[in-house]
Amino acid sequence: MSFLRRYVFSTDHKVIGIQYYLLALFAVFVGIAFSVIMRFHLSYPEAKVRLFEWLWPATASGGVMTPELYLSLMTMHGTIMVFFVLTTAPQSGFGNYFIPLQIGAEDMAFPVLNMLSFWTTLVAFLVLCAAFFVEGGAPLSGWTAYPPLSAVGSIAGPGQGLGQTLWVVSIALFCAGSLMGAINFITTILDLRVAGMSLMRMPLTVWSWFVAALISLFAFAVLIVGGVLLLLDREAGTSFFLPAGLLINDRLLPNDGGSPLLFQHLFWFFGHPEVYIVIVPGMGVVSTVLSVFSRKPVFGYKAMVIAMFSIGLLGFIVWGHHMFSSGLNPYSAIAFSVLTLAIGTPSAIKTFNWIATIWGGQLRLNVAMLWALGFVSLFVSGGITGLYLGQPALDSYFHDTYFVVGHFHLIMGVAAIFAIFAATYYWYPKVTGRYLSETIGRIHFYVTFLGVYGIFIPMHYAGLAGNPRRYADFAQYDFLKDLTVLHKFITHTAFTTAAVQLLFLFSLFWCVRRGRLAGENPWQATTLEWAHHPAAVHRGPYEYSVPGSRKDFVMQNETAS
Amino acid sequence: MQPASGVKRRASYTGLYAFLASVIMFFAGFSSALVVRRAGAKDWKPVPMPDLIWMNTAVLAASSVMAEKARRDLRKGDRTRFNAAWALATLLGCLFLYLQVQLWYRLRDAGVYMESNVSGAFFYLGTIAHAIHLAGGAAAMMYLSYRAVRLELGPGRRTGVDVATFYWHFLGVLWVYLVGLFWFLAA
Ligand code: HEM
Ligand SMILES: [Cu+2]
């Protein structure tokens, strides 16, 4: 096989999994760089920086960042992180590599489709990045791209021209790639399991990829509708989302009758399920890692499966909680509120089961386990604020403040990233045959753990004080003056936390060659990816410390214990 | 080790169902957008439905019937009849696409543009999205004809034909649904 067929246009699920992972790795460092630049600007708005002028001569002339540049960085940060990092690595990256291995299949069901889905996603990423290099630069309207401003073109701001068009095209491509991936995941899991691997013997990781694939299938198809209608409003002169009498930059637009709220419905019908596409695969990994390193079975396996399905299902009927202050009918706001708070139940079931899993276990506190414990901590801290935001009366105050920024970063951003780290440390020996450095890992973990709390907890206070989000400069407002110190603290914590990520990057590549050698089943785990050509499965996925057994674990493909 | 052919057949169907689920979600999203956008809108102008639409519906129905006949012929092992019926079904599908283009021209001549009124925009978008899915189906059918000519299909190797026929029927039902949607809400 030629090099190209083998490593570039490969149909092998392992290669494709690694390709997705590397794409997400590149994307996450771009996203981190943007966030550092944004934080710098928020704390030092007047600073003149050569680098900015060199990078963005039009929007940072003299080295001072314009508000437009700030908003474009914010938009690109959010879009890259949500789509190309948090949707790409946990689901497409790890899922592709490990679904076939964990269910004992040769490959995914449709290998060519699998290759296409990766390449579609990569093209989507390149199209998005191209927005920086076109006239006017990257779009300004956030990862949610609300019309009217996203639909009227460059009169709404420099990046709202070609930049915003590229954004829409990129997201539509990303949807297509994700749909192909979801079809593959669902089919593989349903039809290609090895003999004896009944559904209720699947590791929770496989369940989680399955649930996330189902959510993707239903959610992305609706986002495409929103994207296409937005594109038509921009390019074909339609009025799906543009109401009559729009006055933008002193120009009266000819549109008539459109509804900006319609876009919000379409977007959030996708958007809330999307946050579960991001987090559910992480729940699967964390369940497994906690069990392996406590040497105990997952507590309440069946409840965990049911909880994931109910989270996925409920996730489709709560989207209105993002629109409490958009002019929603108050009666429907109450319904959305009750349903939203109801998601707390399966979430709590999962949390209690994680704690019960490690309770009384023989904890092995290595780095993978630390990240998994960190995930649980963040999931609780971020989930609790969801209960505040889910109430219309409270949300009318919190909406569009830093309280929301704190909430979704803890629960979606950082929690999912912690799950990616846990998965990386856990499966690195499987992929490379070597361990990642535990010493570097510990430093990386503790600094990051303290760092993210140091960054995002203060944001809740800023939000309580009324600090609005998506503003390029707080210094101009008297009522925010008292928060300057708080923001400086956040900024410097962010610098430190970002810097320590470079340690991880170094370790990731260094240990491919130099890491400590790992054996065939270094963690003494039970699932099939650690087994040698499993021919059949005889038991469930979490048989640790089985009473009466000789060893403290029994692999799924072992016949006798 | 290659998966057994029974597994492959089952997987093809599962993949098809998953794909159809996402297509259904797309058109459900599309329909609800239409309903929401129309509700209470004072600017909504009805679309003058060209009569050609009935002709198109008949052509697509005939194509579905032929595809079904071809599928059964193949299962019985009658390859000659399969080839003829399958080719006819494909041709009818292409005729439908051609007639759709004529339909769009007639609408344009009647003064319905994408930008003239949002009802027309919904009509174009819905029918174009359907046509794109149909073009994909037609391409798959041509590919299967090519395989049939190379004697690669038979009663034991008919999964592709079965799956394509199912998809074809689905597109027929989807078309009837779209016609109903536009007839009641946009005409
Ligand atoms: C008990 C569970 C949860 C509840 C009750 C909840 C509630 C909410 C509410 C009401 C908002 C809207 C706030 C506003 O814009 O004013 C919100 C925003 C958000 N939530 Fe959650 N949430 C929960 C869990 C999650 C999870 C698990 C994730 C991700 C994995 C997540 C990610 C987000 C994101 C990204 C936003 C911000 C979207 C934006 O406006 O840009 N949430 N949440
Ligand atoms: Cu939500």
Side-chain angles (χ1 to χ4, degrees):
Chain A
M1 243 192 315
S2 71
F3 177 82
L4 269 185
R5 278 293 302 277
R6 197 157 177 174
Y7 295 112
V8 183
F9 297 103
S10 170
T11 56
D12 181 87
H13 70 99
K14 289 187 186 172
V15 177
I16 294 174
I18 293 173
Q19 286 173 328
Y20 267 118
Y21 188 90
L22 292 178
L23 170 62
L25 189 71
F26 179 76
V28 80
F29 277 92
V30 176
I32 290 176
F34 290 172
S35 64
V36 167
I37 296 174
M38 285 189 289
R39 278 318 307 184
F40 176 84
H41 176 73
L42 288 177
S43 288
Y44 307 96
E46 322 268 84
K48 292 193 175 63
V49 183
R50 279 268 183 73
L51 180 70
F52 296 168
E53 180 164 29
W54 182 74
L55 283 171
W56 299 287
T59 39
S61 68
V64 179
M65 188 184 291
T66 55
E68 286 81 4
L69 177 56
Y70 178 88
L71 289 178
S72 69
L73 289 172
M74 181 202 79
T75 302
M76 296 295 263
H77 165 80
T79 309
I80 287 175
M81 288 300 200
V82 171
F83 291 100
F84 294 97
V85 179
L86 299 182
T87 313
T88 299
Q91 178 74 356
S92 312
F94 288 112
N96 263 311
Y97 200 103
F98 287 103
I99 285 175
L101 295 183
Q102 290 199 325
I103 64 172
E106 283 295 302
D107 202 323
M108 298 296 275
F110 310 113
V112 177
L113 188 71
N114 206 14
M115 175 183 81
L116 275 179
S117 78
F118 170 73
W119 285 96
T120 312
T121 310
L122 182 69
V123 171
F125 183 66
L126 296 178
V127 170
L128 184 71
C129 293
F132 261 119
F133 301 98
V134 298
E135 164 132 35
L140 316 177
S141 43
W143 82 281
T144 51
Y146 279 8
L149 292 184
S150 64
V152 294
S154 53
I155 56 166
Q160 297 306 86
L162 189 50
Q164 182 74 49
T165 303
L166 289 173
W167 186 95
V168 182
V169 172
S170 162
I171 295 309
L173 285 171
F174 188 89
C175 291
S178 300
L179 287 173
M180 294 181 218
I183 291 170
N184 231 331
F185 275 36
I186 291 169
T187 309
T188 307
I189 294 171
L190 285 181
D191 289 337
L192 299 190
R193 280 167 290 129
V194 73
M197 179 65 88
S198 61
L199 288 175
M200 289 318 257
R201 280 181 179 168
M202 296 198 306
L204 286 174
T205 40
V206 178
W207 273 116
S208 71
W209 288 313
F210 184 65
V211 171
L214 281 176
I215 303 175
S216 305
L217 197 66
F218 295 122
F220 278 111
V222 174
L223 181 61
I224 291 192
V225 178
V228 171
L229 297 186
L230 188 59
L231 204 60
L232 290 176
D233 270 3
R234 296 177 55 77
E235 308 296 332
T238 54
S239 302
F240 292 110
F241 304 133
L242 293 172
L246 261 187
L247 193 64
I248 290 179
N249 271 338
D250 293 336
R251 271 232 323 261
L252 185 65
L253 300 186
N255 302 82
D256 194 10
S259 159
L261 265 189
L262 172 59
F263 180 84
Q264 296 190 17
H265 281 296
L266 290 170
F267 183 86
W268 287 114
F269 184 85
F270 147 82
H272 190 82
E274 161 68 14
V275 307
Y276 292 114
I277 299 173
V278 165
I279 207 71
V280 165
M283 294 172 161
V285 167
V286 164
S287 304
T288 295
V289 168
L290 290 179
S291 162
V292 173
F293 297 120
S294 309
R295 313 313 292 168
K296 278 182 63 197
V298 168
F299 184 89
Y301 170 91
K302 215 172 175 181
M304 291 299 234
V305 175
I306 295 171
M308 276 194 278
F309 271 94
S310 28
I311 285 176
L313 217 66
L314 281 172
F316 275 102
I317 45 178
V318 300
W319 77 91
H321 65 219
H322 296 273
M323 302 167 59
F324 286 150
S325 50
S326 307
L328 206 63
N329 178 327
Y331 290 109
S332 57
I334 291 174
F336 278 125
S337 171
V338 171
L339 291 167
T340 299
L341 300 182
I343 295 195
T345 311
S347 309
I349 290 177
K350 296 205 74 84
T351 309
F352 287 127
N353 285 1
W354 286 323
I355 294 171
T357 300
I358 59 175
W359 194 268
Q362 300 160 267
L363 299 197
R364 298 182 180 171
L365 285 177
N366 50 31
V367 177
M369 180 67 160
L370 290 178
W371 289 114
L373 292 170
F375 173 96
V376 177
S377 159
L378 289 164
F379 187 73
V380 173
S381 315
I384 284 179
T385 49
L387 299 177
Y388 293 79
L389 293 170
Q391 303 172 53
L394 289 174
D395 188 58
S396 59
Y397 181 81
F398 288 136
H399 181 71
D400 263 345
T401 68
Y402 262 75
F403 193 87
V404 176
V405 182
H407 159 72
F408 74 74
H409 274 94
L410 282 184
I411 196 154
M412 161 152 127
V414 201
I417 292 273
F418 270 44
I420 295 175
F421 282 136
T424 305
Y425 274 86
Y426 180 66
W427 278 317
Y428 195 82
K430 175 66 204 172
V431 178
T432 65
R434 290 167 192 272
Y435 293 100
L436 275 170
S437 158
E438 288 277 311
T439 319
I440 298 182
R442 265 167 222 282
I443 302 171
H444 176 215
F445 170 78
Y446 283 111
V447 176
T448 307
F449 185 73
L450 294 176
V452 295
Y453 271 114
I455 295 166
F456 296 113
I457 293 290
M459 286 191 185
H460 292 81
Y461 287 99
L464 283 168
N467 195 335
R469 82 190 256 223
R470 292 179 171 168
Y471 275 34
D473 188 356
F474 307 137
Q476 306 182 7
Y477 306 97
D478 275 339
F479 78 106
L480 294 177
K481 287 254 153 58
D482 292 342
L483 294 175
T484 313
V485 183
L486 188 82
H487 277 297
K488 280 235 162 82
F489 174 78
I490 295 177
T491 299
H492 288 275
T493 316
F495 290 167
T496 316
T497 314
V500 80
Q501 305 312 312
L502 295 174
L503 270 184
F504 168 74
L505 193 63
F506 167 78
S507 180
L508 191 70
F509 288 109
W510 174 261
C511 294
V512 174
R513 287 282 164 76
R514 303 297 178 87
R516 200 156 53 81
L517 275 175
E520 175 136 275
N521 185 1
W523 311 119
Q524 300 168 305
T526 52
T527 44
L528 294 189
E529 77 269 33
W530 308 106
H532 211 73
H533 291 295
V537 160
H538 302 283
R539 58 193 70 250
Y542 300 111
E543 306 226 334
Y544 296 99
S545 312
V546 183
S549 162
R550 278 178 295 112
K551 292 179 296 175
D552 86 325
F553 69 105
V554 192
M555 296 194 72
Q556 285 196 274
N557 59 331
E558 283 180 53
T559 37
S561 53
Chain B
M1 194 180 70
Q2 282 293 310
S5 67
V7 172
K8 276 199 158 165
R9 183 174 166 85
R10 209 160 39 127
S12 304
Y13 269 101
T14 311
L16 174 73
Y17 295 147
F19 175 59
L20 294 188
S22 74
V23 177
I24 289 173
M25 277 315 281
F26 175 88
F27 282 97
F30 171 82
S31 311
S32 60
L34 187 151
V35 170
V36 170
R37 176 63 179 78
R38 179 174 175 271
K42 292 187 202 72
D43 65 321
W44 189 276
K45 290 195 205 114
V47 180
M49 289 274 190
D51 285 337
L52 192 55
I53 207 164
W54 305 117
M55 168 91 167
N56 291 13
T57 310
V59 170
L60 196 58
S63 175
S64 240
V65 171
M66 280 330 277
E68 182 62 27
K69 179 180 157 354
R71 187 180 78 86
R72 293 183 183 192
D73 287 338
L74 184 66
R75 196 173 52 188
K76 279 186 278 181
D78 193 339
R79 290 190 188 169
T80 323
R81 278 167 176 245
F82 164 78
N83 285 349
W86 192 251
L88 189 56
T90 313
L91 271 180
L92 284 168
C94 296
L95 178 64
F96 173 83
L97 284 177
Y98 171 77
L99 290 173
Q100 281 293 85
V101 176
Q102 298 308 314
L103 185 94
W104 294 325
Y105 279 138
R106 287 203 191 172
L107 269 184
R108 192 194 61 181
D109 294 343
V112 179
Y113 304 109
M114 207 67 166
E115 63 268 38
S116 61
N117 192 265
V118 76
S119 60
F122 271 114
F123 185 86
Y124 282 118
L125 179 61
T127 49
I128 289 174
H130 177 263
I132 291 173
H133 285 90
L134 201 101
M141 286 167 78
M142 286 177 206
Y143 170 69
L144 285 163
S145 283
Y146 164 78
R147 290 193 49 191
V149 176
R150 296 179 35 150
L151 302 181
E152 288 175 4
L153 301 181
R157 309 188 63 177
R158 53 175 215 280
T159 303
V161 169
D162 286 349
V163 166
T165 310
F166 194 110
Y167 181 56
W168 206 243
H169 295 332
F170 170 82
L171 289 175
V173 175
L174 181 63
W175 173 252
V176 173
Y177 165 75
L178 282 177
V179 171
L181 180 77
F182 292 129
W183 185 258
F184 286 112
L185 295 183

